[in-house]
Amino acid sequence: MASEETRTLKSTTNVSNSAPADSPESTGATPTRAWTKRLFVVGIVLAALNLRPAITSLGALLEEVRDGLGMSGSVAGLLTSVPPLCFALFGVMAPRLARRFGPAAVVCAGMVLITAGLLIRPYIGGTAGFLVGSALALMGIAVSNVLMPVIVKRWFPDRVGSMTGLYSMALALGTASAAAVTVPITDALGGSWRSGLAVWAALAAAAVLPWIALVRHREASSGPEAAGERPSRARDAEQAQPVLRITRSRTAWALAVFFGLQATAAYITMGWMAQIFRDAGVSAGTAGLLLAVTMVMGVPLAFVIPRLATRLPRQGPIVIALGVCGLVGYAGLYLAPAGGAWAWAVLLGIANCSFPLALTMVGMRARTGAGVAQLSAFAQSTGYLISIPGPLLVGVLYQHSGGWGLPIALMAGLMIPQMAVGVLAGRNRTVEDEAAR
């Protein structure tokens, strides 16, 4: 089996030939390159920590938010569908914004939006205001979601697997932490769900700082680039690259559908799993911990799975293994939600590690940085669009059936096509070969 370094050698050459202004090859600042790469690692980790607390902190307090804002089950289902909707709408803008302003500047702006959205959404007033504040934070998450694989491919082309694992692990840690400690923090702040949600703005504000430094470094070292001009070598190389018609690529479509189905499962889990356990008689605090266990499984596995995936010519076996864990977990959640709660939380947490696998395949299914950017935007935007109906449908089924039998059956049923398209997306192919014209 080829090692990760061997598999990514070609991508190193391709990226250096088409480096953007904020990549190491374009700055020409060799003495500061090591410092800049370390700062990128810090920025990537802090950004990843903030890509899910806006969602899982809400999942832990969904019942309190529903009561406080007077939401019905269907409206709450709509609320859990807002994240994938925003990711689909705003994520597609990320490559164009990155070309215009640079990936670092766009991620920096994304962290600012997350901070502002988390800070204002509990206090802006009413359901509509809460949705607006949530959308603002999710807009920042959306563009950062798309650009993380791009930044990894361009700055760490010889360590795609390990760096994808690092930020996937940080993302899982942020997800789990928000699920685990939001209820205790809320209790410590006097029981106000508004304060319990707003406190996560502090973590987002911390993530802004390294990206400001990276943007300033880019402006100081890029010369003509700061005025909107590109170095001629990078510009000529970019013009020489073939134009991708990404919708012609079967691999791109398979990856988009796989991304959409795993996102459906993830957002149903983040939005409703705590409520499933609470309805089964589990206390609110324990339900939050169970959700945290599901999310925290991604911390070690999000580091291991990308490294394993880059060492395999096909990622289908990993897809199948994760899918089987999901099916067993849903079966247990249906048959004994309270009795085997911890086991089901662990199994569903393993199944949710399809997310870092999907991100890794985005980096592997394209040879160049430009190809990764286009594939990432297409797969994530299309995938999140596919995932929008899932959480809403679960809310409707829950409200009208009066139980969790039908929603859980839906979740388990979607796991089958997810495994099928994941095997197709895991084939050893690149979108450049399928979509160039």
Side-chain angles (χ1 to χ4, degrees):
M1 292 184 292
S3 68
E4 178 183 331
E5 288 75 13
T6 302
R7 291 178 59 85
T8 56
L9 182 59
K10 290 183 178 180
S11 65
T12 305
T13 303
N14 287 330
V15 173
S16 65
N17 289 337
S18 58
D22 56 355
S23 72
E25 288 75 19
S26 68
T27 62
T30 303
T32 62
R33 178 175 173 181
W35 172 86
T36 305
K37 294 190 79 167
R38 292 190 194 101
L39 191 59
F40 260 110
V41 172
V42 173
I44 287 169
V45 169
L46 285 175
L49 286 171
N50 283 280
L51 295 182
R52 293 299 179 270
I55 302 166
T56 51
S57 61
L58 175 60
L61 294 174
L62 185 58
E63 185 171 313
E64 288 75 11
V65 174
R66 286 175 58 188
D67 293 340
L69 298 178
M71 292 183 187
S72 66
S74 296
V75 173
L78 176 62
L79 184 61
T80 59
S81 293
V82 169
L85 175 62
C86 290
F87 294 166
L89 292 178
F90 301 125
V92 73
M93 301 162 51
R96 180 175 298 180
L97 292 173
R99 287 194 298 269
R100 175 65 179 86
F101 301 104
V106 178
V107 172
C108 183
M111 295 301 108
V112 172
L113 289 174
I114 295 171
T115 303
L118 292 179
L119 190 60
I120 69 172
R121 75 172 178 176
Y123 303 107
I124 198 171
T127 300
F130 192 90
L131 288 171
V132 170
S134 296
L136 189 64
L138 294 167
M139 183 188 304
I141 296 173
V143 294
S144 301
N145 273 338
V146 171
L147 293 179
M148 285 294 105
V150 177
I151 289 173
V152 167
K153 185 79 168 183
R154 289 175 173 177
W155 274 89
F156 307 94
D158 56 338
R159 297 195 297 276
V160 171
S162 57
M163 286 303 300
T164 300
L166 179 64
Y167 83 75
S168 297
M169 185 172 63
L171 189 152
L173 181 61
T175 304
S177 299
V181 305
T182 295
V183 171
I185 287 176
T186 301
D187 294 339
L189 295 174
S192 169
W193 62 266
R194 299 180 191 275
S195 299
L197 293 181
V199 72
W200 292 101
L203 181 62
V208 175
L209 302 178
W211 290 101
I212 290 177
L214 287 166
V215 172
R216 287 181 176 176
H217 170 71
R218 169 184 180 270
E219 291 175 348
S221 60
S222 59
E225 179 68 12
E229 299 176 13
R230 295 185 176 183
S232 59
R233 183 166 62 92
R235 182 176 62 247
D236 293 343
E238 181 174 313
Q239 290 174 348
Q241 292 178 356
V243 177
L244 297 182
R245 300 187 64 178
I246 201 73
T247 55
R248 286 186 172 182
S249 170
R250 294 182 179 180
T251 298
W253 276 109
L255 189 52
V257 176
F258 177 69
F259 201 100
L261 291 175
Q262 68 80 27
T264 299
Y267 287 106
I268 290 173
T269 299
M270 285 186 280
W272 290 107
M273 187 173 173
Q275 190 67 50
I276 293 174
F277 286 127
R278 292 178 72 170
D279 287 351
V282 177
S283 68
T286 303
L289 287 175
L290 286 165
L291 179 58
V293 167
T294 300
M295 300 298 110
V296 83
M297 290 305 300
V299 176
L301 291 179
F303 189 72
V304 172
I305 288 176
R307 293 173 66 86
L308 176 61
T310 56
R311 285 166 167 77
L312 295 176
R314 296 173 180 264
Q315 290 71 49
I318 305 177
V319 171
I320 297 297
L322 297 178
V324 170
C325 288
L327 290 174
V328 175
Y330 287 132
L333 202 60
Y334 176 80
L335 296 172
W342 296 100
W344 318 141
V346 168
L347 286 169
L348 292 174
I350 295 173
N352 279 347
C353 287
S354 295
F355 175 70
L357 177 61
L359 291 179
T360 306
M361 288 195 289
V362 167
M364 296 179 68
R365 297 287 89 87
R367 288 194 299 269
T368 66
V372 171
Q374 194 170 349
L375 178 58
S376 180
F378 175 76
Q380 294 199 46
S381 296
T382 305
Y384 284 125
L385 191 65
I386 291 171
S387 72
I388 290 171
L392 176 60
L393 184 57
V394 165
V396 172
L397 290 174
Y398 170 55
Q399 180 171 345
H400 290 282
S401 68
W404 288 105
L406 286 177
I408 292 173
L410 172 66
M411 300 177 214
L414 291 176
M415 190 61 66
I416 304 301
Q418 177 181 321
M419 295 164 67
V421 294
V423 170
L424 294 177
R427 294 175 299 175
N428 189 15
R429 301 183 180 184
T430 63
V431 293
E432 284 88 353
D433 293 333
E434 297 178 342
R437 65 174 176 86

